[in-house]
Amino acid sequence: MIYALFLIWVAVSSSSAQQFYDPSGCSSDTSNQGSRYTCDSAQQPCRTFLVYRANQHFGHQNLLNISALFQVESDELLDLNNIASPLETLKRGREVLVPINCSCSGEYFQASLSYIVSERTSFPEIACGVFEGLLKSLTLLQENPSQGTDVETGVKLDVPLRCACPGGFARFNGVKYLVTYPILEGDGITPLSMKFSIAPEDLLAANHLEPKSTVYPNTTVLVPLKSDPVINLNVPDSPPPTPGFLPTITVEKTKNTKLRKLYIAGSVVGFFLIVVALLACGFYVKAVKKRKGERLQSFTDRNSVLSCSTARSSPRSGQTGRSSTNSCLSPDLLAGIKFSLYNYGIEDIKRATNDFNEDTNKIGEQVYRGLIDNESVMIKQMRFEDTRQVIDMHSKINHVNIVSLHGVCYGENDFAWSYLIFELPTNGCLRNCLSDQANRLSWRRRTQIAFDVATILHYLHYCIFPSYAHMSVNSRNIYVTSKWRAKLANIGSTLAISASTMNDKVVTVNGLVAPQNPMNEAASVKVDVFAFGVVLLELISGKEAAQGTFLKDSIRFLGGGANEGGCFEQLRSFIDPCLKNEYLIAEALCLAILAKACLEDDPLRRPSMDDILKVLGRMV
């Protein structure tokens, strides 16, 4: 009698433990047995896993993006998948194990997530593209019935991912996990069982499949595991089916003497025309070089007798000038300038700044707002020897995200103040934009500004030689144009230095101490990375970095101490309240984690601007 009852329990438990395989694709609008994995209300929730593949098309090419999508800690994914850094760009299709909480909701198992749509799309695109077939588009539509065919930007969707917990008989057989695995073209039962080191029979039984069954792309299977999951990435996928034999038709070669002669004549004529064209180009280049040489000589002769200042020093210099018969713009200096600059007199500078009016025109330390030829400019007062350094730096760079140098005015001697005239972007410095409550800076504009600043720092670090550390990146040195694009100022100042000459051990950046090791060229640029992290915190929170330690302490919750719900709540309280809910929480989390990585005490653990640019490039 007991044996009979045991057999009945085994049969019932076995049938409830097995889930059915649905051969219809992810985008199919039919609901079949196995479209969702069934449960009964008595079954307890469980912690299990799913497999997700790195996907550059949807911006999920590293663990930082993947963890944000599935709302798990990136550190947990690092340990589980044996990957060194959350910012490491993964190979396309690299399989990643993701832990999930699976529970019984009604009659179906599901792992419940929320997803905020970043751009107008459709349910099949989200289910089969973003989530790679881990649920059917029909299931997503049924879970969000209020939405139409197309899903608009900013809509929050409930996403019930496929999952299952082991039943009584499966647990009796030692099964701990049922891992949800999305099938791609080339996958099969045998290579899949080898990938997880299980018997093919166990895989077939867990999905109610017969021997020699076929599994199809854009479907899912459950992988029964008796221990913690490990993917053998060395197992190749099954090769795609070989195309059928296509008969070929033998083409008989024909000889055409006339056609061959025509080809030979055409080749000779073509060669002759090429020679003539090369000779013409050579004469043209020679003439252009001669004309440029004459114009350069004329320019040097004119400026060798040009004086760009009056006989007295700037009223801001505090020094008494003396007359000089020498030009303040010598031919030696002109020889080092690779681009043309306007030469202004001191009276021009006084008129532009209302005689250096501190109440209406001063916008920074030794920096004035001015108006020259009905154009707003920024006029910076500096010593004579510093102006040459700035001009030399600007002569070597050419980038749309750098504040342009328009002109120069030298004092009449080496002890008088000189002035450099820069463009002044319409919306002023970033700090003022973040502080302007009346015209708040939208989230989309903030991410674009972060990308622009990363672009110019990448240019300075990688695209010029030697690489160049700015050393003064902050929200007051970043200016915003009328189209809300960022430009970096203060290039070539005494703070900014060649990376190969930097040896300081401690640098203060925006109120934060950025410890440095004795530096080589590669490590010195990490000072800019640290400062960029502070700028990211300002963009997220709107707070000024004058209280740098406060900003850094405000994101300590990202260290993993808080639970998932508490982490998101603390992040929302840190975000600038002016943004209200007009931001993507996944993007905000990504920026916050990126800022935290930039603020690492060890400079060698901070990401490079190359890594940062790849992350931000997916947000704009």
Side-chain angles (χ1 to χ4, degrees):
M1 180 66 178
I2 294 176
Y3 180 70
L5 290 174
F6 175 74
L7 289 178
I8 294 172
W9 177 78
V10 165
V12 173
S13 299
S14 177
S15 63
S16 64
Q18 289 178 327
Q19 299 289 347
F20 285 86
Y21 170 71
D22 178 11
S24 63
C26 167
S27 58
S28 171
D29 57 0
T30 59
S31 182
N32 304 316
Q33 192 177 31
S35 293
R36 299 181 72 175
Y37 299 131
T38 58
C39 65
D40 60 64
S41 57
Q43 288 187 274
Q44 296 297 316
C46 66
R47 185 165 177 80
T48 185
F49 302 87
L50 57 83
V51 173
Y52 189 81
R53 296 178 176 88
N55 188 329
Q56 295 182 354
H57 179 70
F58 292 100
H60 304 125
Q61 76 279 16
N62 57 43
L63 291 191
L64 186 64
N65 303 133
I66 295 173
S67 64
L69 177 65
F70 290 98
Q71 298 157 24
V72 298
E73 293 291 338
S74 58
D75 290 343
E76 193 171 1
L77 296 186
L78 287 175
D79 299 335
L80 193 59
N81 294 278
N82 195 26
I83 295 174
S85 168
L87 295 175
E88 177 184 339
T89 300
L90 303 179
K91 182 181 177 182
R92 181 176 177 271
R94 204 282 197 190
E95 293 177 339
V96 175
L97 283 165
V98 179
I100 55 172
N101 295 315
C102 185
S103 59
C104 185
S105 177
E107 57 181 323
Y108 300 112
F109 282 116
Q110 66 182 46
S112 301
L113 298 180
S114 61
Y115 176 73
I116 298 177
V117 179
S118 59
E119 58 183 16
R120 194 170 188 266
T121 184
S122 63
F123 282 106
E125 185 75 6
I126 296 172
C128 308
V130 176
F131 288 97
E132 299 181 349
L134 291 169
L135 77 162
K136 295 185 72 170
S137 59
L138 179 62
T139 305
L140 186 61
L141 178 61
Q142 291 171 343
E143 197 74 11
N144 301 272
S146 61
Q147 302 300 324
T149 306
D150 293 329
V151 190
E152 300 297 332
T153 304
V155 171
K156 183 178 181 181
L157 298 177
D158 295 322
V159 182
L161 299 180
R162 285 172 171 168
C163 67
C165 297
F169 185 68
R171 289 198 301 271
F172 179 77
N173 281 337
V175 175
K176 292 177 62 177
Y177 307 108
L178 292 173
V179 178
T180 308
Y181 186 91
I183 300 295
L184 281 184
E185 184 75 32
D187 282 329
I189 295 297
T190 300
L192 187 54
S193 60
M194 293 172 60
K195 190 173 290 187
F196 286 93
S197 302
I198 63 173
E201 294 78 12
D202 294 340
L203 185 59
L204 292 170
N207 295 275
H208 224 89
L209 290 169
E210 298 295 330
K212 297 184 179 179
S213 296
T214 301
V215 290
Y216 298 93
N218 298 319
T219 62
T220 63
V221 295
L222 292 172
V223 182
L225 298 179
K226 297 181 180 181
S227 59
D228 290 345
V230 177
I231 301 177
N232 184 357
L233 299 176
N234 294 322
V235 176
D237 295 331
S238 300
T242 305
F245 175 74
L246 298 176
T248 58
I249 301 175
T250 304
V251 178
E252 184 179 355
K253 295 183 179 180
T254 59
K255 297 181 179 180
N256 192 323
T257 307
K258 290 184 178 180
L259 189 60
R260 182 182 299 174
K261 291 181 178 179
L262 183 61
Y263 286 155
I264 295 174
S267 301
V268 172
V269 172
F271 177 76
F272 176 76
L273 292 176
I274 291 173
V275 171
V276 171
L278 289 175
L279 290 174
C281 289
F283 286 122
Y284 175 76
V285 171
K286 186 176 181 180
V288 169
K289 287 183 177 180
K290 182 179 180 181
R291 187 181 307 169
K292 283 186 176 180
E294 292 173 351
R295 291 176 61 184
L296 180 60
Q297 182 63 40
S298 174
F299 176 75
T300 305
D301 292 341
R302 289 199 309 269
N303 284 280
S304 62
V305 295
L306 175 66
S307 176
C308 64
S309 68
T310 62
R312 59 182 185 278
S313 66
S314 162
R316 304 292 300 161
S317 67
Q319 313 225 10
T320 303
R322 62 180 185 272
S323 59
S324 172
T325 57
N326 295 327
S327 167
C328 64
L329 193 59
S330 67
D332 292 337
L333 182 59
L334 280 172
I337 300 178
K338 306 298 188 299
F339 62 107
S340 61
L341 291 176
Y342 288 104
N343 304 304
Y344 295 99
I346 189 63
E347 294 300 329
D348 298 326
I349 304 302
K350 286 183 177 181
R351 274 194 305 273
T353 60
N354 292 321
D355 203 10
F356 302 98
N357 191 307
E358 296 197 3
D359 295 329
T360 60
N361 292 78
K362 191 170 185 179
I363 57 175
E365 185 177 356
Q366 295 181 329
V367 182
Y368 295 84
R369 181 197 310 273
L371 193 66
I372 296 179
D373 296 331
N374 294 321
E375 181 182 357
S376 293
V377 294
M378 181 167 49
I379 299 173
K380 189 168 185 179
Q381 183 185 58
M382 59 178 59
R383 297 176 303 174
F384 172 81
E385 58 268 26
D386 294 336
T387 56
R388 176 151 191 174
Q389 180 177 333
V390 175
I391 291 174
D392 182 63
M393 186 62 197
H394 277 266
S395 71
K396 297 174 182 176
I397 59 177
N398 180 25
H399 200 281
V400 68
N401 295 117
I402 290 179
V403 172
S404 301
L405 175 61
H406 286 343
V408 60
C409 175
Y410 289 96
E412 75 176 63
N413 56 59
D414 293 348
F415 302 102
W417 288 112
S418 297
Y419 301 89
L420 290 178
I421 296 85
F422 298 88
E423 68 167 316
L424 180 60
T426 306
N427 286 308
C429 72
L430 175 59
R431 179 68 259 155
N432 291 343
C433 292
L434 291 171
S435 302
D436 188 354
Q437 300 296 323
N439 299 296
R440 61 181 179 80
L441 202 58
S442 69
W443 179 256
R444 185 54 54 201
R445 287 171 178 171
R446 296 183 194 214
T447 56
Q448 180 64 61
I449 288 171
F451 177 76
D452 288 342
V453 177
T455 300
I456 184 55
L457 290 178
H458 180 274
Y459 173 82
L460 293 175
H461 293 180
Y462 294 98
C463 301
I464 62 175
F465 182 81
S467 59
Y468 200 78
H470 185 278
M471 295 295 292
S472 187
V473 178
N474 59 65
S475 58
R476 295 190 180 277
N477 274 337
I478 298 169
Y479 285 80
V480 182
T481 69
S482 59
K483 295 183 178 180
W484 303 99
R485 303 301 296 270
K487 291 197 171 195
L488 187 60
N490 213 26
I491 301 290
S493 67
T494 53
L495 284 177
I497 59 174
S498 169
S500 59
T501 64
M502 179 178 173
N503 295 305
D504 295 331
K505 294 185 179 181
V506 178
V507 179
T508 302
V509 180
N510 295 339
L512 280 171
V513 175
Q516 307 299 325
N517 298 325
M519 291 194 179
N520 56 24
E521 183 173 339
S524 65
V525 294
K526 293 303 179 76
V527 177
D528 286 349
V529 174
F530 187 96
F532 180 75
V534 178
V535 172
L536 282 182
L537 293 184
E538 289 195 51
L539 287 168
I540 298 170
S541 68
K543 299 180 178 68
E544 186 167 8
Q547 299 176 340
T549 53
F550 169 74
L551 286 182
K552 188 175 182 181
D553 290 341
S554 298
I555 58 169
R556 291 193 183 278
F557 65 88
L558 295 174
N563 58 40
E564 180 180 318
C567 174
F568 283 106
E569 286 305 314
Q570 291 183 66
L571 177 60
R572 287 189 178 94
S573 65
F574 179 68
I575 294 173
D576 191 344
C578 292
L579 291 171
K580 299 180 181 178
N581 291 323
E582 298 178 10
Y583 58 86
L584 300 178
I585 190 65
E587 286 190 359
L589 177 63
C590 183
L591 280 189
I593 294 175
L594 184 59
K596 183 175 182 296
C598 293
L599 297 179
E600 286 283 352
D601 288 337
D602 183 355
L604 299 181
R605 294 185 62 187
R606 299 170 198 160
S608 67
M609 291 312 303
D610 190 49
D611 295 329
I612 293 170
L613 203 57
K614 291 175 182 176
V615 174
L616 294 176
R618 296 295 177 182
M619 295 188 185
V620 297

